[in-house]
Amino acid sequence: MSVLVHMPQSKTNIGNFKHTITMLMGMWLIIGLFIDGFAHNHGAVETFFTPWHAILYSGYLACAVWIFYLTYQNKSRGIHATWIQAIPTGYKLGVAGVIIFFLGGLGDMYWHTVFGIEKNIAALLSPTHLILLTGALMILTSPYRAISHAEDEVSPTFRQLLPALTSIALTFAVMAFFLMYAWSFRQNLWMAREEDAIARAVVDFLTTTMLLVLPVMMVLRRWKLPFGTATYFFVFQAVLMAILDSFSHYGSIVILLISGIAADLMFRFIKQLEASDWRYKIVFFVIPVLIWGLYFADLSIFHTLDWAPELWGGTMFICGLCSLGLSILAAPMVHRKS
């Protein structure tokens, strides 16, 4: 049985409604990022001043203004002596992220002016873009930190956790964006016949698996999973990543929707058990096997899959094993008195 210790609420805590607004601003920022990524991938970027940059940076401005407003509200009540003390619980890194993103934006404008516009992987590894990534991650994780600190219930509803879930989903979506070259659903697997190409494909499968299962493990480490969590995370990433290729890889949305529903049903069956129970590990093994099983089945039916059973079967199994290993490490520790 879990024992909850109820801590007094900090005067800098804010409610779920305000966290939801933070996430709406965050989605504005990230949708702009993915549209900008589409433009980079299709050669549509010629200058820093573009409509997609306008969406991206206006989303950032909305985040910055909103976080400042939340801080101003706390400061205006006269409870806090300094502005730093008035920053809402969980948002201090977010404020730092606002500053870092601003500096990255100035650097990005200068970089594009001097060195031109990057394309493909070079754009993802550009120094100024990595600074922007750092700032975005610090902003987007703020509601998760705040709600993790404030939410005392062991088994909150999906609605109660939605801002925190969206915070996690956006964070991993940004990570997937900057690893888009390793997102397996974007690769032409049926063309991977040489040894090096196959090896690269297997690494991509492992990377994509981690991006999908780790968000679920994070929630499970803190709370019991509300039904729909896995589906929300999987479809969230699939839809955003599909933007990069004009939804030409829409099959990934279907595969991850089916896999997410199946995962949620399995988690619902064992929801009342402790997160350290061995059955959770089995589910985390099954999830990647199901995802890539559906993926290989789709390739076999609608495309050409020249891989031997040892390759596609072994890929499914090793992804499952890696997910299993991570679930063992991520499970909350159970401390029992002797």
Side-chain angles (χ1 to χ4, degrees), residues 2-16:
S2 299
V3 178
L4 290 177
V5 178
H6 292 273
M7 302 296 291
Q9 292 293 307
S10 167
K11 290 182 172 59
T12 55
N13 280 350
I14 59 177
N16 258 21

Side-chain angles (χ1 to χ4, degrees), residues 36 114 129 167 175 232 308 325:
D36 185 51
V114 175
H129 288 173
S167 177
M175 293 165 63
Y232 183 64

Side-chain angles (χ1 to χ4, degrees), residues 209-286:
T209 298
M210 300 306 105
L211 290 169
L212 291 169
V213 299
L214 281 172
V216 183
M217 293 179 190
M218 288 186 61
V219 178
L220 187 60
R221 187 174 174 83
R222 177 63 177 82
W223 298 286
K224 290 187 178 294
L225 286 180
F227 184 79
T229 298
T231 305
Y232 183 64
F233 283 152
F234 290 2
V235 174
F236 199 101
Q237 283 199 52
V239 170
L240 284 177
M241 294 301 288
I243 291 175
L244 299 172
D245 300 296
S246 303
F247 290 92
S248 59
H249 300 294
Y250 62 88
S252 62
I253 301 175
V254 177
I255 290 171
L256 290 177
L257 173 63
I258 296 172
S259 301
I261 293 172
D264 280 319
L265 290 172
M266 288 186 282
F267 283 127
R268 186 175 188 177
F269 183 72
I270 58 176
K271 182 176 181 179
Q272 299 309 314
L273 301 174
E274 293 291 339
S276 57
D277 190 274
W278 62 270
R279 277 161 281 200
Y280 279 98
K281 281 72 170 175
I282 297 301
V283 174
F284 278 114
F285 172 79
V286 171

Side-chain angles (χ1 to χ4, degrees), residues 33-243:
L33 174 68
F34 275 84
I35 293 175
D36 185 51
F38 170 85
H40 273 277
N41 287 345
H42 293 80
V45 178
E46 297 179 356
T47 176
F48 179 84
F49 300 98
T50 61
W52 28 92
H53 270 184
I55 299 172
L56 171 65
Y57 285 103
S58 62
Y60 156 74
L61 181 61
C63 290
V65 170
W66 176 246
I67 292 176
F68 172 78
Y69 173 73
L70 294 177
T71 305
Y72 172 77
Q73 273 194 323
N74 284 339
K75 185 71 171 65
S76 64
R77 292 175 185 143
I79 300 173
H80 307 285
T82 67
W83 282 95
I84 293 178
Q85 292 174 343
I87 297 173
T89 300
Y91 278 71
K92 283 186 172 64
L93 282 180
V95 171
V98 166
I99 297 170
I100 290 173
F101 198 100
F102 176 75
L103 295 175
L106 291 179
D108 194 42
M109 181 171 61
Y110 176 79
W111 186 275
H112 287 324
T113 302
V114 175
F115 299 104
I117 305 297
E118 314 92 342
K119 295 182 180 180
N120 303 320
I121 296 179
L124 297 171
L125 299 180
S126 163
T128 54
H129 288 173
L130 293 180
I131 294 173
L132 292 173
L133 168 63
T134 304
L137 290 175
M138 296 170 77
I139 294 169
L140 297 172
T141 51
S142 295
Y144 169 73
R145 289 191 301 273
I147 295 172
S148 183
H149 178 273
E151 182 58 70
D152 289 332
E153 288 191 41
V154 174
S155 186
T157 64
F158 185 88
R159 182 177 178 181
Q160 285 175 293
L161 273 192
L162 184 57
L165 298 178
T166 305
S167 177
I168 296 171
L170 285 171
T171 299
F172 275 87
V174 173
M175 293 165 63
F177 176 90
F178 276 84
L179 291 169
M180 66 174 70
Y181 47 84
W183 182 255
S184 292
F185 295 105
R186 300 185 71 232
Q187 312 306 321
N188 295 324
L189 178 60
W190 56 89
M191 298 174 63
R193 295 183 176 88
E194 300 297 326
E195 193 73 11
D196 289 345
I198 293 174
R200 160 66 193 278
V202 174
V203 173
D204 290 351
F205 281 122
L206 289 169
T207 302
T208 306
T209 298
M210 300 306 105
L211 290 169
L212 291 169
V213 299
L214 281 172
V216 183
M217 293 179 190
M218 288 186 61
V219 178
L220 187 60
R221 187 174 174 83
R222 177 63 177 82
W223 298 286
K224 290 187 178 294
L225 286 180
F227 184 79
T229 298
T231 305
Y232 183 64
F233 283 152
F234 290 2
V235 174
F236 199 101
Q237 283 199 52
V239 170
L240 284 177
M241 294 301 288
I243 291 175

